[in-house]
Amino acid sequence: MPTHVLAEAHGDERGALLAFLEAQRGGLRRAVLGLTAEQATERPSASELTLGGLVKHVAEVEQRWVEMAQELPPSVGRTQETWHLSFQLEDGETLAGVLSHWDEVARLTEEFIRKVPSLDDTFPLPEAPWYPPNARQSMRWLVLHLIEETARHAGHADVIRESLDGKTAFELVDEERKAREG
């Protein structure tokens, strides 16, 4: 891990989980630091994944899971036929736009997790062949799942970014630090 996650206040499990989620978001955000619009949509490998598409996908997935936990309808309805669109910037979408949207999603996620009465509270999973019937998951599971999902795609982003211009996660951490201090 190229950054250190600061310790939470003693006993602040929510704070610890949210800090680790934010650390993984940071890895993905750093992977797109300084990219041109063209680089954000380049596919430097056999994969269809792009950096802009990964950011969009992670934002949509986080938003959908938090809505599911609140038992709200999805803001973005995806079907089997449109699932692939969550991984690509469509006409009119920009990297800056999806990053801004993700910032708002992250804010709402933190607000929701901070306000939920207990991390042991549960929510129903939708009917789907990959979930057990009548499955429920805890809010703790939700945040751990978001950490897992974001980390998986941050790893993809590291490989794509290094394939684009040779920059590694460590170099991007340094660039981000210099820009903050700068």
Side-chain angles (χ1 to χ4, degrees):
M1 169 172 30
T3 61
H4 177 73
V5 179
L6 298 176
E8 77 283 4
H10 182 70
D12 181 13
E13 181 183 11
R14 293 170 205 243
L17 292 169
L18 290 167
F20 273 90
L21 177 56
E22 185 54 34
Q24 296 309 312
R25 287 185 193 122
L28 187 46
R29 284 188 191 111
R30 277 188 298 281
V32 300
L33 227 123
L35 291 182
T36 65
E38 293 76 31
Q39 287 173 311
T41 59
E42 278 186 42
R43 295 181 174 104
S45 71
S47 170
E48 291 291 313
L49 295 176
T50 68
L51 290 170
L54 282 172
V55 171
K56 177 181 174 180
H57 173 73
V58 171
E60 277 192 21
V61 167
E62 182 173 334
Q63 181 177 26
R64 178 62 196 120
W65 274 105
V66 173
E67 289 170 343
M68 197 182 319
Q70 296 174 79
E71 300 186 49
L72 297 172
S75 294
V76 179
R78 293 283 179 209
T79 64
Q80 225 174 344
E81 292 75 33
T82 63
W83 180 249
H84 70 283
L85 297 176
S86 76
F87 284 98
Q88 51 190 255
L89 298 182
E90 297 177 79
D91 288 341
E93 290 182 322
T94 64
L95 179 57
V98 294
L99 283 167
S100 177
H101 171 68
W102 193 20
D103 286 344
E104 179 62 11
V105 168
R107 185 189 67 73
L108 292 172
T109 297
E110 178 154 351
E111 183 178 286
F112 172 68
I113 293 301
R114 292 273 183 204
K115 286 164 83 173
V116 73
S118 171
L119 291 175
D120 293 328
D121 289 353
T122 64
F123 63 96
L125 295 181
E127 294 295 320
W130 47 88
Y131 299 131
N134 304 311
R136 295 187 70 83
Q137 294 299 158
S138 71
M139 299 303 165
R140 180 180 296 98
W141 180 95
L142 167 69
V143 182
L144 289 167
H145 180 66
L146 292 175
I147 293 167
E148 171 194 41
E149 176 81 13
T150 307
R152 174 182 299 118
H153 292 309
H156 294 142
D158 284 345
V159 171
I160 293 170
R161 178 60 188 259
E162 191 170 352
S163 297
L164 284 174
D165 63 7
K167 289 190 179 176
T168 66
F170 289 104
E171 291 172 276
L172 293 165
V173 165
D174 194 44
E175 280 186 30
E176 180 185 50
R177 181 189 52 77
K178 287 177 182 172
R180 258 195 325 266
E181 293 171 355

